[in-house]
């Protein structure tokens, strides 16, 4: 029992540290696009309540992870998503923010979140679990490779 409580506390601590990192990223991006910040406490409360409700991706329903294993990028680690991107006039209202898996976040590319949500549900329904998972794994590998190339380019410039 004591061990379980200690594990639960460590998990919430990791969630908080992950939240802090994503929060500073959100502050930077919000400044860049001149968008008002959400209430930090409210966003944290919402994340925490999402965590206690099973912590599933709001787009695809995948079980999300609090942190990547051994610091590696993992498709199901959580991220803060804007259904309408800040770059496209979206804001930080709670209606526009979703907690989604890294895979959805990366694979949707330039598709706005509200459209991706529909696309994911349609794919899941029509392809079935196995084909859907295979397609998403391929798409994730491709999107991740592209992202790594982009980052390398940015660093070398
Ligand atoms: Zn997802």
């Amino acid at each position: 029992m004591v061990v379980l409580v200690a594990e639960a506390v460590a998990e919430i601590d990791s969630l908080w540290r992950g939240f802090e990192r994503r929060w500073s990223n959100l502050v930077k991006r919000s400044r860049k696009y001149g968008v008002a910040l959400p209430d930090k406490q409210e966003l944290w409360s919402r994340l925490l309540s999402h965590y206690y409700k099973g912590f599933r991706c709001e787009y695809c329903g995948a079980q999300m992870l609090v942190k990547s294993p051994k610091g590696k990028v993992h498709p199901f680690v959580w991220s803060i998503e804007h259904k309408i991107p800040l770059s496209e006039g979206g804001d930080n209202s709670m209606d526009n923010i979703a907690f989604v898996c890294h895979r959805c976040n990366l694979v949707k590319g330039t598709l706005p979140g509200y459209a991706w949500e529909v696309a994911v549900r349609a794919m899941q329904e029509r392809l079935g679990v196995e084909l859907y998972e295979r397609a998403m794994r391929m798409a994730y590998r491709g999107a991740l490779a592209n992202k790594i190339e982009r980052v390398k380019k940015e660093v070398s410039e």
Side-chain angles (χ1 to χ4, degrees), residues 19-29 31:
F19 176 73
E20 286 281 31
R21 276 199 305 278
R22 287 160 182 83
W23 173 261
S24 46
N25 202 295
L26 181 64
V27 170
K28 270 187 226 151
R29 278 186 299 140
R31 283 202 186 119

Side-chain angles (χ1 to χ4, degrees), residues 45-75:
S45 299
R46 210 185 122 187
L47 177 65
L48 208 52
S49 115
H50 195 70
Y51 172 81
Y52 283 122
K53 282 183 206 150
F55 212 39
R56 294 195 168 270
C57 171
E58 290 186 52
Y59 290 156
C60 73
Q63 176 69 61
M64 294 192 292
L65 301 182
V66 167
K67 59 176 180 181
S68 291
K70 289 176 194 162
K72 283 183 189 156
V73 182
H74 190 282

Side-chain angles (χ1 to χ4, degrees), residues 56-62 64 75-76 99-105 116 120 124 132 136:
R56 294 195 168 270
C57 171
E58 290 186 52
Y59 290 156
C60 73
M64 294 192 292
F76 297 120
F99 301 118
V100 308
C101 71
H102 187 244
R103 189 170 77 174
C104 279
N105 197 312
W116 175 250
V120 160
Q124 286 175 334
Y132 165 77
M136 287 293 281

Side-chain angles (χ1 to χ4, degrees), residues 9-157:
V9 169
E11 178 115 328
I12 297 302
D13 190 53
S14 287
L15 188 65
W16 170 254
R17 276 182 280 123
F19 176 73
E20 286 281 31
R21 276 199 305 278
R22 287 160 182 83
W23 173 261
S24 46
N25 202 295
L26 181 64
V27 170
K28 270 187 226 151
R29 278 186 299 140
S30 300
R31 283 202 186 119
K32 181 175 172 188
Y33 295 109
V35 178
L37 285 171
D39 183 80
K40 190 177 180 182
Q41 204 46 247
E42 190 186 355
L43 189 60
W44 167 247
S45 299
R46 210 185 122 187
L47 177 65
L48 208 52
S49 115
H50 195 70
Y51 172 81
Y52 283 122
K53 282 183 206 150
F55 212 39
R56 294 195 168 270
C57 171
E58 290 186 52
Y59 290 156
C60 73
Q63 176 69 61
M64 294 192 292
L65 301 182
V66 167
K67 59 176 180 181
S68 291
K70 289 176 194 162
K72 283 183 189 156
V73 182
H74 190 282
F76 297 120
V77 75
W78 72 279
S79 57
I80 297 175
E81 158 78 358
H82 292 89
K83 293 176 187 173
I84 300 172
L86 298 182
S87 60
E88 297 294 332
D91 61 19
N92 279 318
S93 65
M94 290 299 144
D95 284 346
N96 195 41
I97 288 179
F99 301 118
V100 308
C101 71
H102 187 244
R103 189 170 77 174
C104 279
N105 197 312
L106 201 61
V107 170
K108 75 184 176 66
T110 52
L111 209 58
Y114 61 84
W116 175 250
E117 193 170 5
V118 175
V120 160
R121 301 235 165 110
M123 282 192 288
Q124 286 175 334
E125 236 178 77
R126 296 198 188 171
L127 296 177
V129 177
E130 206 172 308
L131 265 185
Y132 165 77
E133 277 303 321
R134 189 195 282 177
M136 287 293 281
R137 270 199 304 274
M138 287 171 64
Y140 183 70
R141 265 205 310 274
L144 195 59
N146 285 342
K147 185 166 186 177
I148 289 168
E149 278 309 305
R150 265 205 318 277
V151 171
K152 270 189 198 159
K153 242 184 178 171
E154 279 169 23
V155 171
S156 69
E157 274 169 12

